[in-house]
Amino acid sequence: MSRIKEFNLPDLGEGLTEGEILAWLVKVGDTIELNQPIVEVETAKAAVEIPAKWAGQVRSIFHPEGTTVEVGTPIIAIDTDPGAGPIEESTTGAPADALPTPSAASLAAVEVAPAEGAVEPGLIGGPAPGGRTAVLVGYGPRTTAAKRRPRKGGAPAQVSAAPAAPVQAAPAPVAAPVPPAPAVNGSGRVGGLVLAKPPVRKLAKDLGVDLAALTGSGPLGSITREDVQRAASGTPAAAEPLTVAAPATAVASFGADREQRIPVKGVRKLTAENMARSAFTAPHVTEFLTVDVTRAMKALDRLRERREWRDVRVSPLLLVAKAVLLAVKRHPMVNSTWAGDEIVVKDYVNLGIAAATERGLIVPNIKDAGRLSLRELADAMTALVQTAKTGKTSPADMSGGTLTITNVGVFGVDTGTPILPPGESAILAFGAVREMPWVHKGKVKPRLVTTLGLSFDHRIIDGELGSKFLRDIGDFLADPEAALLAWT
């Protein structure tokens, strides 16, 4: 059995087809152990470290950092028995146990789009004369060797370095003389013609002014309306030397040198595909509710003061998550999926929490969040957010979500109209908590207020169900203690 084994990029879950090599954690010649992380790969969902399948010594790395490779492509070769000595060579001079040559996929399947059928000759991307490929302009570079035109009066061109009979060069075609560009003089004339716009010419004709007798004061000596009017009134124009003045301010530039092109890949690519698919598949409806959350914020303050909660991260988002979980129990149809011929209602809630990371927006979820106590929910949310910010969220943690919360309030935004993650029927936007004037017990007082925005799939959730679900969330946030007593 061969000592050299190729390690292929594995499928990291959820049917991923490719991944980008972010960083190699080993180099050629390193001795590695079984399950030692060897490479960090960014898939369409997360950045993950991949462990080695074998112990041994790294013999070759097939793809550099920054390369996107397909699942199943060899990325590294490992000598599984480096202590057995050098690899013996065969009688042909090649090593008997030579390093396996990467398959065609490992050499050419990087960022290659699948074929969509043959392209007719002459069309963009199709074959063209001379073995070239038709592009937008011309036919691209030639695949044959270039032939140099023989110099006039010089030695005949040689086809190869080997001696051969001289080839009589055809006489080079004589280029047609290029006429010199017309000169612009100080009188606003180009090759004897007067520079003036049609409206100026008409004005001169109406006033009886001979344009040929004027000296233009406009750009490049062109004649302006003022020049014609001065000539008609008899006022001489001040003599000015013809100069092309530099602009007083910098000319606006809109070229490619002031543009930035960011490749769409990884998390951002998946997010774009999911959002576009959801926005044009599920009919979205969004409702809003503004809530006085003063009592809820005071309840959080009391919770933080308890001894067993002093080391726990307590935030308003925790109460929102609890409100959503309790409201789902009262309206289970909200936690469902449209499956074409049927609606799948789920008895478990995999609660997604949208998180903004350096690689883009991701939505990890807390599995079966409805079974957790408030303390367990707080710990799970803290771990979820910290893992997301470090970029270590696994694909499994971002799969199988059933209902999502997006906390736009952390950016100072009041609310929004969120787009549903694919496969989910509802998503709640939690806005900023602000001190605002509010009518409380018949008087206008400063109160802590927030706005909720609920988007839902109208194929599953009608207006009544969506409104009741949102109203229950608002009732809990308005008075969480009373809601807990009434609902549990």
Side-chain angles (χ1 to χ4, degrees), residues 127-195:
R132 294 173 287 169
T133 300
V135 293
L136 187 60
V137 180
Y139 288 98
R142 292 179 178 270
T143 57
T144 58
K147 297 180 180 179
R148 174 176 295 178
R149 177 182 294 174
R151 296 182 179 178
K152 186 175 181 180
Q158 298 291 333
V159 176
S160 64
V167 180
Q168 182 65 35
V174 179
V178 179
V184 180
N185 59 27
S187 299
R189 295 171 178 79
V190 180
L193 298 177
V194 177
L195 289 179

Side-chain angles (χ1 to χ4, degrees), residues 11 83 88 90 99 110 117 129 150 201 216-217 229 274 299 316 340 366 372 375 393 397 399 415 419 423 453 457 487:
D11 183 352
E88 297 180 0
S90 64
L99 180 67
V110 178
R201 294 179 181 275
S217 62
Q229 291 170 349
N274 287 343
I366 302 171
L372 302 178
R375 172 60 187 268
T393 303
D397 289 338
S399 304
T415 190
I419 298 177
D457 187 342
W487 298 349

Side-chain angles (χ1 to χ4, degrees), residues 331-351:
H331 309 284
M333 194 71 171
V334 172
N335 188 49
S336 58
T337 299
W338 181 268
D341 295 334
E342 57 186 5
I343 297 173
V344 181
V345 183
K346 301 172 182 178
D347 293 334
Y348 56 90
V349 180
N350 292 343
L351 184 63

